[in-house]
Amino acid sequence: MLSELTISNFAIIERQSLTFHPHFNVISGETGAGKSIILNALEFILGGKGSTALIRSGADHMEVQALFDLSEIPETIRGELPEIVGEGDELVVSRTQPREGRGKVLINGRLGTVSLLEEIVRKLVNICSQHHQTKLLDAKYHLELLDGYADNTRVGEEVREAYDRWHTAKCELLSLQASEASGAQRREELQYTLGELEALPHLKAGRRGELESEIKRIGNFERLNQAGQRALDLLTGEDGLGVKLREVSAVLAELRRYDAATTTIINEFELARDSLTRSEIAIDRYVHTIDADTSSLEDLREELSEIARLERKYRTDDAGLCERRERAREELSRLGGGPGAQALEKDVAAKLSHFKAQALELRKTRLKAAKALTASVTEALAELNMADARLEVRFGECEPTARGLDRIDFLMSSNKGESHGALSQIASGGELSRVMLVLKKVLREQSGVNVLIFDEVDTGISGGVARSVGRMLKDIASQSQVICITHLPQVASLSDKHFLVQKEIGDRAVTVVRALTEGEKVDEIARMLAGFTITEASRASARELIESR
């Protein structure tokens, strides 16, 4: 609900703060008092175009603030609101317009844009008048509204599921057909790539490094062999280190005969000598196992050259080549497997047939609901002095969608003999407002919008018809918050809260809006009944109207 509205320096309003009732609010006042200014301020905070001409004379800017209570908002609608709204139960929006420069929008204290403000607030508030579009006037929502009236949740879900199954199968078929059309060329490309990569049987991550090391080793065989043999000669030759170490060992043994304290030294020497002996054995093994097969050197070089070429071609390394090889294998497998197009065509046809059967069942419920809807709307319009008005729910067939095969338009003829036309083309602003009032009542529209502002709804009516309009507004207000600008006492007397708009003229004109007490409300209803002069008789009539609600 709209809890509070604060208007500052807007037209001839200096500063006004209005606290609204959760249900039925009425705004009244004499012609020219400034009721339209309240509506203009609401349009401004809903994202409407701002004009510096509306800034109060002598002020440098105008500002409108609105506080919304979101505690009862449906979770589905809250999920559609931008993140800036947050999870709290209150929403505070503020919009200013300076005489010079750009205006500013604040949403819960954070800077926003006019478009973001409009996106948020339009999900909460509808102004129902000739100059404001709502879902009721937008043909693309009429199917949604009719389904809500018919309570087609279960059947609609079955249609949606059938559509999803058919659409998924159809997309798979189209994809397969496209693949088959270009499949031969793609398979040829993949087979060529795979042939190049599988021609290297030893290809793996790190293979290039292995080849470079092996080529280097074989290419330096002579140097490796000579160096290894020379090391052995130095260790085992006649004048090698081995002979010298044996001599040292004999000398140390002599030392131990004369001094047992040298045992530790001798043991450490023998350990070093054993280690050197093991190194000698390893070197000997290495020298005798060096691969001298230089015939493989050219093969290794060719393999390395081919890997380098493919790395340049595919702009990757040997690990990337392995990944490309696996991807080519997988794609070839997919192109060669799965059901053929002919089998899928039969499956798609069967799913489409099932979907159409479900959609026709849904159409039956819609036709039945449309008949009931037109009867209810016609009856309600007759109560509002529109006895000749007729609603038509026109059906047309469309391409398959998740909502079935139907296209729905709400059309209206407001006078006998006139052809039906779009709701938005109804000529009279008052008639359009009453049509929307009836549709709001009959459809119990669940768009999430819970703040309804009615203007012009009582244009051209009086007496019993006016009372019917008021009761209809009262009925809607039992489930939504209604704010109605009216000049009819039959409507105003039914309100839960009554605001009076007055123009006060001192040094300069100023519009003042105030909530009326019960006694003041009686006087205002009496004024609306009798005109400028309020009599006891008009007060009695006002009390009777108020008490009969």
Side-chain angles (χ1 to χ4, degrees), residues 57 197 216 235 241 494 500:
S57 177
L197 297 173
K216 182 179 180 181
L235 286 170
L241 186 57
L494 295 169
L500 176 62

Side-chain angles (χ1 to χ4, degrees), residues 396-505:
E397 187 151 330
C398 65
E399 292 298 313
T401 72
R403 287 188 172 275
L405 295 167
D406 299 322
R407 185 182 67 253
I408 301 293
D409 290 305
F410 289 169
L411 303 176
M412 178 66 67
S413 171
S414 56
N415 295 296
K416 194 171 183 178
E418 287 185 358
S419 59
H420 288 76
L423 293 180
S424 58
Q425 295 173 350
I426 296 174
S428 164
E431 287 180 342
L432 180 58
S433 294
R434 290 195 291 278
V435 168
M436 287 195 286
L437 173 60
V438 167
L439 289 172
K440 284 283 185 183
K441 176 181 181 294
V442 174
L443 288 170
R444 295 294 183 189
E445 186 218 346
Q446 300 298 309
S447 65
V449 172
N450 202 46
V451 183
L452 305 174
I453 301 167
F454 286 92
D455 182 39
E456 300 180 303
V457 71
D458 53 13
T459 301
I461 60 172
S462 60
V465 175
R467 195 61 168 177
S468 295
V469 168
R471 292 194 182 282
M472 205 169 289
L473 288 166
K474 184 77 171 178
D475 183 46
I476 293 173
S478 66
Q479 297 186 17
S480 302
Q481 183 185 37
V482 172
I483 300 170
C484 180
I485 299 173
T486 185
H487 66 276
L488 293 178
Q490 295 89 342
V491 173
S493 61
L494 295 169
S495 67
D496 296 305
K497 193 166 188 176
H498 192 141
F499 295 91
L500 176 62
V501 181
Q502 292 176 306
K503 184 186 291 185
E504 296 180 356
I505 301 177

